[in-house]
Amino acid sequence: MIKYFGTDGIRGKAYEFISEHLAYQVGLALQVLENDKLIIGRDTRESGLALATKIIEGAKEVGIRAYDVGVVSTPMLSYLSKCFDSLGVMITASHNPHTDNGIKIFKAGKKIFSKEEADIEGVLNGIVPVTKNKIEEANLIPFDPIDLYLKLFKQIIMRTNMKIGLDFANGATYEIGKIIFSKISSNLEFIGDKSNGKNINENVGATNLNALFNLIQEKQLDLGFAFDGDGDRIMVVDSIGKIYDGDLLIYIFAVYLKEQGLLKGNAVVLTKMSNLGIVKALREQGINVIWTDVGDKYVLETLETKNLILGGENSGHIINLLLLDTGDGLLNAVYLVKVIVESGKSLEELTRGVILYPNQTYNLNNVNKKMVNHEAVLARIDLLRKRLGEDGKIIVRASGTEPVIRITVSASTLSEVDEIIDDIVKTILENSN
């Protein structure tokens, strides 16, 4: 049985694993989600339109009415799905190059959970049958997605004289982002806003900050925001080139929400990849941390289970349930401007007292990924964890898409981090023969 879903939908090489045939089969498989409405969108990859067309074709075959909203961000698609209580499918590979693509599935605005993914995989693997029921009227009534989406921003937009740079990664936010930020400042500079279908995330965006650094320096900007290809994550750079990742932004939002009396449970949800320095800083503010696995769907699940409102990943996926049920780079950028304007503080002042721990990830290539569960490897990792105690963390996991074992270590000193990584690599290699 093929495992199609990873930590964030189905993803792979466009035209190969993410083929038109697979897209058609996914359209058929949507029947198991028991909803006869579908809104579908895509980022700017050249393969997106053909895949969307095939998903709609499959959905129609099983009685699902569809509406293609074209190029939109993932959170925008999620919100539209929530508005119409419909299924939502986003064709995107997020921060990956244009040669990849993927499929993210929503139901009434929320990413589907593991049980629903398993049901869809049952259809894709030929285990679960679907019932063909093609309908004559196969389209939803047209609507204006931009007008609907802009309603999310009405209560949080604040005007500022700050000079702001925006890097849209040549992706899904390059048009709607300009519309939104034109309501915030008259001093805007743009990069990554000229998509050609092949340049998404190419030397720009949330995972490639050099272009934004250069823009801030050249134009002497106060602040810069970088989004990824589908717009669900955000990275921030200030006027002196300091990076504010998801961890730091969650800290800023958590402290602000607590001051406003809005932080439910005085707690936030972070993934195991978050920096321990953030955890200590939050605890000093009287804010607790609940850990979850990597993946924003796990963050959302924990937020709902624990009745909390704020959580996310250091990669820039941040979920604030006061805003939306999924991470939205644009919403979080506008919310950050609101915090800065209301507080009258810079990002440096808002994060004063946060001391980040040294943190490194090492990719061990061309090794059997099953080694992460080898008895000797697990025993050694357990010993190292006990040695670190609460002053460090060790995460060893197999990549879902590459022949790579990812070793992430955080400790109070960089030398200790390097020593532990070397120890784990040595243990894996010694037991691989």
Side-chain angles (χ1 to χ4, degrees):
M1 181 169 171
I2 299 173
K3 175 69 176 171
Y4 286 90
F5 285 89
T7 56
D8 198 7
I10 304 172
R11 194 174 297 179
K13 290 296 180 186
Y15 307 115
E16 296 176 17
F17 183 70
I18 307 297
S19 64
E20 292 184 30
H21 173 73
L22 176 63
Y24 174 74
Q25 294 297 318
V26 168
L28 295 175
L30 293 176
Q31 186 179 67
V32 303
L33 299 179
E34 299 180 340
N35 189 309
D36 67 352
K37 296 175 290 185
L38 167 65
I39 298 172
I40 188 165
R42 61 187 185 276
D43 65 22
T44 55
R45 293 163 213 272
E46 63 177 3
S47 57
L49 178 58
L51 294 171
T53 300
K54 283 296 182 180
I55 288 175
I56 291 172
E57 183 181 330
K60 288 179 178 179
E61 289 288 339
V62 292
I64 298 174
R65 293 173 294 142
Y67 186 60
D68 186 351
V69 291
V71 174
V72 294
S73 68
T74 292
M76 187 172 175
L77 187 280
S78 166
Y79 179 63
L80 296 175
S81 167
K82 180 179 181 178
C83 288
F84 290 91
D85 192 27
S86 73
L87 301 178
V89 170
M90 181 70 185
I91 311 298
T92 181
S94 189
H95 58 282
N96 287 22
H98 86 277
T99 50
D100 292 343
N101 216 329
I103 301 169
K104 297 181 182 182
I105 302 175
F106 296 82
K107 187 175 182 180
K110 298 179 182 178
K111 287 182 181 177
I112 59 174
F113 292 121
S114 299
K115 171 61 169 63
E116 295 164 312
E117 291 177 350
D119 291 341
I120 288 175
E121 286 180 337
V123 177
L124 299 180
N125 282 293
I127 298 171
V128 176
V130 295
T131 303
K132 296 288 185 73
N133 182 31
K134 191 168 185 178
I135 50 178
E136 293 298 325
E137 180 52 55
N139 295 316
L140 292 176
I141 297 173
F143 57 89
D144 189 329
I146 292 177
D147 279 351
L148 279 175
Y149 183 59
L150 288 177
K151 291 179 181 179
L152 284 173
F153 293 82
K154 286 185 177 179
Q155 300 303 314
I156 63 172
I157 282 180
M158 286 193 160
R159 292 290 299 181
T160 177
N161 292 323
M162 284 192 296
K163 295 181 287 185
I164 298 174
L166 299 163
D167 179 351
F168 297 117
N170 294 318
T173 57
Y174 79 101
E175 290 184 327
I176 187 65
K178 291 179 180 179
I179 294 172
I180 290 167
F181 268 86
S182 68
K183 301 176 184 296
I184 292 174
S185 175
S186 300
N187 302 304
L188 302 175
E189 298 287 342
F190 308 118
I191 55 174
D193 62 332
K194 296 177 176 59
S195 172
N196 61 16
K198 295 182 178 181
N199 61 355
I200 189 170
N201 302 311
E202 188 175 70
N203 300 318
V204 286
T207 56
N208 300 280
L209 293 175
N210 284 339
L212 185 57
F213 286 145
N214 294 336
L215 179 69
I216 290 171
Q217 185 176 35
E218 178 187 346
K219 302 293 185 178
Q220 297 184 316
L221 305 180
D222 300 306
L223 195 60
F225 295 102
F227 308 97
D228 64 338
D230 70 331
D232 60 0
R233 71 167 69 179
I234 178 181
M235 297 292 276
V236 183
V237 180
D238 69 9
S239 60
I240 61 172
K242 181 178 177 180
I243 299 172
Y244 294 80
D245 65 3
D247 281 347
L248 285 168
L249 297 180
I250 289 170
Y251 173 84
I252 291 171
F253 293 155
V255 172
Y256 171 79
L257 289 169
K258 185 181 180 187
E259 290 173 350
Q260 300 296 313
L262 298 173
L263 188 66
K264 283 187 179 180
N266 277 335
V268 300
V269 177
L270 299 177
T271 74
K272 296 173 182 178
M273 299 302 291
S274 285
N275 193 287
L276 287 174
I278 295 295
V279 178
K280 287 199 169 187
L282 285 166
R283 286 174 178 164
E284 288 172 1
Q285 295 289 335
I287 299 170
N288 295 319
V289 171
I290 297 175
W291 296 104
T292 190
D293 289 331
V294 175
D296 60 335
K297 65 182 178 182
Y298 300 117
V299 173
L300 176 60
E301 190 173 15
T302 305
L303 287 173
E304 293 184 332
T305 301
K306 302 293 185 180
N307 193 30
L308 304 175
I309 62 167
L310 181 66
E313 303 179 287
N314 58 355
S315 63
H317 285 106
I318 301 170
I319 300 175
N320 180 346
L321 292 181
L322 293 177
L323 303 177
L324 192 60
D325 296 330
T326 191
D328 187 328
L330 286 170
L331 266 177
N332 284 311
V334 173
Y335 201 71
L336 184 63
V337 172
K338 170 183 166 68
V339 173
I340 292 171
V341 172
E342 285 188 357
S343 68
K345 296 179 180 179
S346 67
L347 291 178
E348 181 69 31
E349 291 171 318
L350 289 168
T351 55
R352 188 166 292 160
V354 178
I355 301 174
L356 298 178
Y357 274 40
N359 192 87
Q360 299 250 23
T361 296
Y362 179 83
N363 292 326
L364 182 56
N365 294 291
N366 301 316
V367 65
N368 188 340
K369 293 191 287 187
K370 293 182 180 179
M371 288 303 298
V372 297
N373 295 314
H374 190 282
E375 184 178 352
V377 174
L378 291 173
R380 188 61 183 171
I381 293 171
D382 185 55
L383 180 64
L384 293 168
R385 282 181 177 145
K386 288 178 179 177
R387 183 190 301 172
L388 281 173
E390 292 187 357
D391 286 327
K393 67 176 180 179
I394 300 170
I395 301 171
V396 180
R397 64 188 183 94
S399 168
T401 57
E402 303 172 84
V404 169
I405 292 177
R406 304 195 195 282
I407 304 166
T408 300
V409 177
S410 181
S412 56
T413 66
L414 184 58
S415 61
E416 191 172 15
V417 169
D418 290 337
E419 180 184 331
I420 292 171
I421 289 175
D422 289 343
D423 194 322
I424 295 172
V425 169
K426 181 181 178 182
T427 303
I428 293 174
L429 294 179
E430 285 179 347
N431 290 277
S432 295
N433 300 324

